[in-house]
PDB file of all heavy atoms in Angstrom:
ATOM      1  N   GLN A 155      -5.351  -6.061 -10.870  1.00 91.00           N
ATOM      2  CA  GLN A 155      -5.359  -5.162  -9.675  1.00 91.00           C
ATOM      3  C   GLN A 155      -5.457  -6.039  -8.485  1.00 91.00           C
ATOM      4  O   GLN A 155      -6.657  -6.682  -8.411  1.00 91.00           O
ATOM      5  CB  GLN A 155      -6.437  -4.191  -9.853  1.00 91.00           C
ATOM      6  CG  GLN A 155      -6.277  -3.279 -10.980  1.00 91.00           C
ATOM      7  CD  GLN A 155      -5.511  -2.004 -10.600  1.00 91.00           C
ATOM      8  OE1 GLN A 155      -4.960  -1.832  -9.536  1.00 91.00           O
ATOM      9  NE2 GLN A 155      -5.242  -1.072 -11.597  1.00 91.00           N
ATOM     10  N   ARG A 156      -4.543  -6.173  -7.696  1.00 93.00           N
ATOM     11  CA  ARG A 156      -4.672  -7.058  -6.478  1.00 93.00           C
ATOM     12  C   ARG A 156      -5.755  -6.635  -5.638  1.00 93.00           C
ATOM     13  O   ARG A 156      -5.847  -5.544  -5.061  1.00 93.00           O
ATOM     14  CB  ARG A 156      -3.275  -7.154  -5.723  1.00 93.00           C
ATOM     15  CG  ARG A 156      -3.292  -8.105  -4.622  1.00 93.00           C
ATOM     16  CD  ARG A 156      -2.037  -8.111  -3.805  1.00 93.00           C
ATOM     17  NE  ARG A 156      -1.841  -9.255  -2.909  1.00 93.00           N
ATOM     18  CZ  ARG A 156      -1.236 -10.401  -3.183  1.00 93.00           C
ATOM     19  NH1 ARG A 156      -0.665 -10.507  -4.279  1.00 93.00           N
ATOM     20  NH2 ARG A 156      -1.326 -11.429  -2.241  1.00 93.00           N
ATOM     21  N   PRO A 157      -6.867  -7.573  -5.466  1.00 96.00           N
ATOM     22  CA  PRO A 157      -8.005  -7.125  -4.537  1.00 96.00           C
ATOM     23  C   PRO A 157      -7.549  -7.171  -3.134  1.00 96.00           C
ATOM     24  O   PRO A 157      -6.707  -7.891  -2.667  1.00 96.00           O
ATOM     25  CB  PRO A 157      -8.997  -8.272  -5.022  1.00 96.00           C
ATOM     26  CG  PRO A 157      -8.228  -9.467  -5.356  1.00 96.00           C
ATOM     27  CD  PRO A 157      -7.033  -8.829  -6.010  1.00 96.00           C
ATOM     28  N   ILE A 158      -8.382  -6.460  -2.329  1.00 96.00           N
ATOM     29  CA  ILE A 158      -8.347  -6.548  -0.832  1.00 96.00           C
ATOM     30  C   ILE A 158      -9.183  -7.649  -0.520  1.00 96.00           C
ATOM     31  O   ILE A 158     -10.482  -7.585  -0.845  1.00 96.00           O
ATOM     32  CB  ILE A 158      -8.843  -5.163  -0.175  1.00 96.00           C
ATOM     33  CG1 ILE A 158      -7.942  -4.069  -0.593  1.00 96.00           C
ATOM     34  CG2 ILE A 158      -8.902  -5.349   1.379  1.00 96.00           C
ATOM     35  CD1 ILE A 158      -8.374  -2.623  -0.119  1.00 96.00           C
ATOM     36  N   VAL A 159      -8.694  -8.752   0.125  1.00 97.00           N
ATOM     37  CA  VAL A 159      -9.362  -9.900   0.372  1.00 97.00           C
ATOM     38  C   VAL A 159      -9.804  -9.845   1.949  1.00 97.00           C
ATOM     39  O   VAL A 159      -8.911  -9.864   2.759  1.00 97.00           O
ATOM     40  CB  VAL A 159      -8.664 -11.196   0.088  1.00 97.00           C
ATOM     41  CG1 VAL A 159      -9.566 -12.435   0.386  1.00 97.00           C
ATOM     42  CG2 VAL A 159      -8.265 -11.132  -1.361  1.00 97.00           C
ATOM     43  N   ILE A 160     -11.057  -9.907   2.225  1.00 98.00           N
ATOM     44  CA  ILE A 160     -11.600 -10.157   3.673  1.00 98.00           C
ATOM     45  C   ILE A 160     -12.240 -11.422   3.710  1.00 98.00           C
ATOM     46  O   ILE A 160     -13.181 -11.715   3.063  1.00 98.00           O
ATOM     47  CB  ILE A 160     -12.466  -8.872   3.951  1.00 98.00           C
ATOM     48  CG1 ILE A 160     -11.693  -7.618   3.955  1.00 98.00           C
ATOM     49  CG2 ILE A 160     -13.031  -9.054   5.348  1.00 98.00           C
ATOM     50  CD1 ILE A 160     -12.455  -6.333   4.249  1.00 98.00           C
ATOM     51  N   ILE A 161     -11.800 -12.140   4.717  1.00 97.00           N
ATOM     52  CA  ILE A 161     -12.445 -13.515   4.913  1.00 97.00           C
ATOM     53  C   ILE A 161     -13.134 -13.549   6.312  1.00 97.00           C
ATOM     54  O   ILE A 161     -12.341 -13.197   7.330  1.00 97.00           O
ATOM     55  CB  ILE A 161     -11.384 -14.568   4.782  1.00 97.00           C
ATOM     56  CG1 ILE A 161     -10.713 -14.488   3.478  1.00 97.00           C
ATOM     57  CG2 ILE A 161     -11.910 -15.992   5.076  1.00 97.00           C
ATOM     58  CD1 ILE A 161      -9.431 -15.370   3.387  1.00 97.00           C
ATOM     59  N   THR A 162     -14.297 -13.874   6.457  1.00 97.00           N
ATOM     60  CA  THR A 162     -14.913 -14.006   7.766  1.00 97.00           C
ATOM     61  C   THR A 162     -15.094 -15.413   8.220  1.00 97.00           C
ATOM     62  O   THR A 162     -15.242 -16.347   7.401  1.00 97.00           O
ATOM     63  CB  THR A 162     -16.326 -13.313   7.775  1.00 97.00           C
ATOM     64  OG1 THR A 162     -17.283 -14.190   7.024  1.00 97.00           O
ATOM     65  CG2 THR A 162     -16.330 -11.904   7.262  1.00 97.00           C
ATOM     66  N   SER A 163     -15.079 -15.695   9.489  1.00 94.00           N
ATOM     67  CA  SER A 163     -15.372 -17.078  10.073  1.00 94.00           C
ATOM     68  C   SER A 163     -16.063 -16.765  11.387  1.00 94.00           C
ATOM     69  O   SER A 163     -15.737 -15.912  12.322  1.00 94.00           O
ATOM     70  CB  SER A 163     -14.046 -17.671  10.314  1.00 94.00           C
ATOM     71  OG  SER A 163     -14.084 -18.854  11.177  1.00 94.00           O
ATOM     72  N   ASN A 164     -16.985 -17.764  11.633  1.00 89.00           N
ATOM     73  CA  ASN A 164     -17.778 -17.785  13.001  1.00 89.00           C
ATOM     74  C   ASN A 164     -17.206 -18.858  13.888  1.00 89.00           C
ATOM     75  O   ASN A 164     -17.763 -19.149  14.919  1.00 89.00           O
ATOM     76  CB  ASN A 164     -19.201 -18.071  12.750  1.00 89.00           C
ATOM     77  CG  ASN A 164     -19.912 -16.856  12.243  1.00 89.00           C
ATOM     78  OD1 ASN A 164     -19.564 -15.700  12.515  1.00 89.00           O
ATOM     79  ND2 ASN A 164     -20.872 -17.053  11.338  1.00 89.00           N
TER      80      ASN A 164
END
Side-chain angles (χ1 to χ4, degrees):
Q155 297 272 358
R156 189 180 186 95
I158 297 172
V159 181
I160 296 178
I161 303 170
T162 71
S163 169
N164 286 325

